[in-house]
Amino acid sequence: MKKIAFIILSSIIMSSCTDMDLIPESNLSPENFFKSEEDATASVYSIYSVFTDNDIYNQFWEVLQSQGTDDSEWSGGRTTNNLDKNALDKFEFDGNTNLVYSLWIKHYVAINRSNFAIENIGIMNPDAIKDDVKNRLIGEAKFLRGMAYFNLVRIYGGVPLVLKQTTSLDGLEVPRNTVDECYDQIIRDLQEAKSALPAINQLPKGYLGRATKGSATALLAKVYLTRGDYQNVVKETAEVMQMGYKLWDNYADNFNLDKENGQESIFEIQYKRNTPGVSGSNYNGYYRPPFVNINGWVGYGDDPVTRNHYDCYEAGDLRRDVNTRLYTKKEYPNMSSNYEFPCYVNKFIDLSPLAIRSQGGENNFPVLRYSDVYLMRAEALNAINPSDIEAYNCLNIVRRRAFGLKMNEPSAIDIKAGLNKESFLDIILLERRKEFAFEGQRRFDLLRTHKLKEAMMAQNPVIGSIVDEKHYLLPIPVTEMDANKLLEQNSGW
């Protein structure tokens, strides 16, 4: 399906610097820029563009979410020269690790751009922009700000809440807010976004690919799930289920380039290949093995898949071969003989000759899919009442699709009722591991259920023995600690 391209507009882009709060570097001031609906829309597009960056969803997000979990490990002859990636993989990172800093700073770029848009669109002359457009654009900015803070609080714990645009170098030192204060603000932003954003059957022309009422509602459900507020998870997922989303009959359709932003998609990070000023997806090369040459170039082989992950699929689960591929020396004689288990991520492949190394691929990165709503709901219902039959039904709908079966008919692969709460949770986490493999979810699932160390011990006891309580949060970057003396470091770092 046609996607919207978030073109980076240099006139309103705010560049990264060493301070958490960033000053707009621009020849245009808010007073002479926000004169039309197009100007307001451009300011919101500039927020979306941050999330397409290499330091967030276009690579580092997935480094954080899979490397350093049981899904991916540099081992068995598969090595990397990237010190940051190796540090995440082996739990050797600290406050000086560049990736730890990059994630922090780019999310605050997105937050500052959100603040910039929210404040200036809010005071635009009614003659320049219609009220419904104004409210929708502010809703988009609040959704993106809420998403940025949700990412940050899960990664670092309580972080400084900066809710006004930075206009001077004064007052840049800001203390950390508590985790509860951060979540209160995230929920407030998402609730306000939810009330302002269009439903999927009411999208304005050319809007596909942007935040919707469903995006805000589903993300709220994930926020509540992370907080253990299961009643609200049930409430929010029920609302999403009335919005018209549907699972694809075929799991692989979620990653078909011709079906992006389709019936199962709730929110995706948009990428477009070979288009000046628009980000292409790096995953086409990031995941491709270093011995596979397509259109004249080989990949990097990042997030090398563990045997632990490959073996977690049951016989007949069609997701395994969509998510991963186990290569052989017979197929690829140029493969290094040092590779003990040459398994790599098979998602996000773009075979087009236009998907060249410098321009990236067309593949969007899924943040929220409708299957997530089913599994979040199943987890919450089980937490409230382990005997709830609907929890099993939600789980089994996703499982049946994975085996190519009719989703609404009982089958031999169904999980049978009668499990205790903890056993059902373990099955849900395993199902999520397979359903959302290499989609930026595994680490957060292990963190919120406090099962990271357990998973790493099962994958590699040498690494697992290193995992400590401090590893459930990243350290605050040293660069930020130096620039902002009011920041306090996370415990253990």
Side-chain angles (χ1 to χ4, degrees), residues 308 452-467:
N308 182 310
L452 178 62
K453 185 175 181 69
E454 176 185 327
M456 292 312 301
M457 288 298 293
Q459 158 55 24
N460 185 335
V462 174
I463 296 177
S465 64
I466 297 172
V467 178

Side-chain angles (χ1 to χ4, degrees), residues 353-367:
L354 297 176
I356 60 178
R357 187 191 297 268
S358 60
Q359 295 294 336
E362 189 84 359
N363 320 78
N364 288 351
F365 189 81
V367 175

